[in-house]
Amino acid sequence: MSTQLPAVGHLLRDWRRRRRLSQLDLACEAEISSRHLSFVETGRSQPSREMVMRLSRHLDIPLRERNALLVAAGYAPIFKERSLDDPKLASARRVVDLILTGHEPYPALAVDRHWTMLAANRTVAVLLAGVETSLLQPPVNVLRLTLHPGGLADRIANLPEWRSNLLARLRRQVEVSADPVLASLLDELASYGAPEESGAEATDFGSVVVPFQLTTDLGVLSFLSTTTVFGTPVDITVSELALESFFPADSFTIDTLNRILQSVNSR
């Protein structure tokens, strides 16, 4: 039994609407006539491969979905998808490892589009001590690990603020990607229930960084979280890779993590 592929015009129209653009807006940006774009979306005109790629760029469609558009239009996909351990991605993996290792003694990790942890430095493993074993079985989902009652949730001193930021970020990802896996993850995380507000006023960093405070046996470690992505990837795996880095927000955190890593090195 064959499965009929969705029409490329319908897919392009859905992406345009998701980006909240009118036909005229997109036509102007892509330097084509709105009449031609209308014909493409309604199936009255078959877009060329170059046209599919041009519209994809202006709609900022993820590489994985650009492949889907090409297939729907009758063309071969052009973007490769390889494991991060693939020899052809050795240079990318080397860069990731250098960044993660170079960020020690502060925690840093690499995640894919579904927030699956692909790599992490040694500090991350130290801070995950005490987490339920089931949450650490591969594939490890970083958001679930953070907000699950058996994960880090009980140890996050600013859990309401951290949870709110994570869910808002995930909600934006669902809106722009329409990824059903992310939508399901959002529902799951929301089902854990909101923690009681601590009464402390959240610090506003203008969405540039996100505060993260973790309670440990040595005291509360305070971090500022940032995300790094690759700018011009041509491989699906690299395009969906994000590096989550945590920077110390106070001298106590700096001193404590330096001592922790020294202890790890001496073993």
Side-chain angles (χ1 to χ4, degrees):
M1 181 180 299
S2 62
T3 302
Q4 185 175 2
L5 293 173
V8 64
H10 292 171
L11 293 175
L12 286 169
R13 180 191 60 197
D14 289 344
W15 279 107
R16 175 178 60 77
R17 290 175 174 174
R18 196 172 293 132
R19 297 297 188 251
R20 296 179 173 83
L21 292 173
S22 68
Q23 283 188 343
L24 181 59
D25 290 333
L26 179 57
C28 289
E29 289 186 14
E31 298 182 338
I32 62 175
S33 70
S34 55
R35 174 186 170 91
H36 182 47
L37 177 58
S38 176
F39 277 22
V40 168
E41 289 189 353
T42 58
R44 296 175 65 184
S45 177
Q46 180 68 11
S48 66
R49 178 181 172 189
E50 290 71 24
M51 179 60 67
V52 172
M53 295 305 299
R54 180 191 298 186
L55 293 173
S56 296
R57 286 194 299 272
H58 286 283
L59 288 169
D60 194 24
I61 297 175
L63 300 191
R64 179 183 300 276
E65 303 308 324
R66 294 187 195 187
N67 273 349
L69 285 169
L70 287 168
V71 171
Y75 306 110
I78 64 174
F79 299 104
K80 303 291 185 182
E81 180 179 11
R82 308 177 179 93
S83 165
L84 194 57
D85 295 324
D86 189 293
K88 293 184 178 180
L89 289 185
S91 58
R93 179 59 195 247
R94 187 159 51 250
V95 169
V96 170
D97 290 340
L98 283 172
I99 293 174
L100 298 184
T101 302
H103 196 65
E104 292 179 349
Y106 314 120
L109 58 153
V111 298
D112 66 12
R113 75 188 193 283
H114 292 148
W115 291 86
T116 301
M117 185 162 61
L118 302 178
N121 63 16
R122 293 177 297 173
T123 308
V124 171
V126 173
L127 298 181
L128 292 180
V131 167
E132 285 186 5
T133 304
S134 60
L135 295 173
L136 297 175
Q137 298 301 314
V140 176
N141 185 277
V142 173
L143 297 191
R144 182 180 296 115
L145 184 66
T146 304
L147 298 182
H148 192 282
L152 294 177
D154 288 345
R155 293 165 49 194
I156 299 176
N158 64 326
L159 182 57
E161 179 183 18
W162 179 252
R163 177 182 181 274
S164 176
N165 278 300
L166 284 191
L167 294 186
R169 180 176 172 185
L170 183 55
R171 196 171 291 111
R172 287 193 297 271
Q173 286 183 289
V174 172
E175 290 175 354
V176 301
S177 70
D179 190 315
V181 175
L182 291 179
S184 177
L185 178 62
L186 178 60
D187 290 341
E188 177 191 338
L189 299 182
S191 73
Y192 296 158
E196 293 184 6
E197 295 290 340
S198 62
E201 184 176 350
T203 305
D204 183 13
F205 290 96
S207 300
V208 177
V209 293
V210 180
F212 178 68
Q213 299 169 349
L214 185 66
T215 303
T216 71
D217 292 340
L218 300 174
V220 176
L221 303 179
S222 298
F223 300 96
L224 299 177
S225 169
T226 64
T227 302
T228 304
V229 296
F230 288 81
T232 56
V234 294
D235 182 278
I236 291 177
T237 300
V238 177
S239 74
E240 296 172 344
L241 186 67
L243 301 179
E244 302 291 327
S245 304
F246 294 81
F247 293 84
D250 56 32
S251 58
F252 173 78
T253 301
I254 295 174
D255 295 340
T256 301
L257 288 179
N258 273 305
R259 291 200 305 272
I260 289 176
L261 195 63
Q262 288 174 3
S263 176
V264 171
N265 290 334
S266 65
R267 293 174 185 172

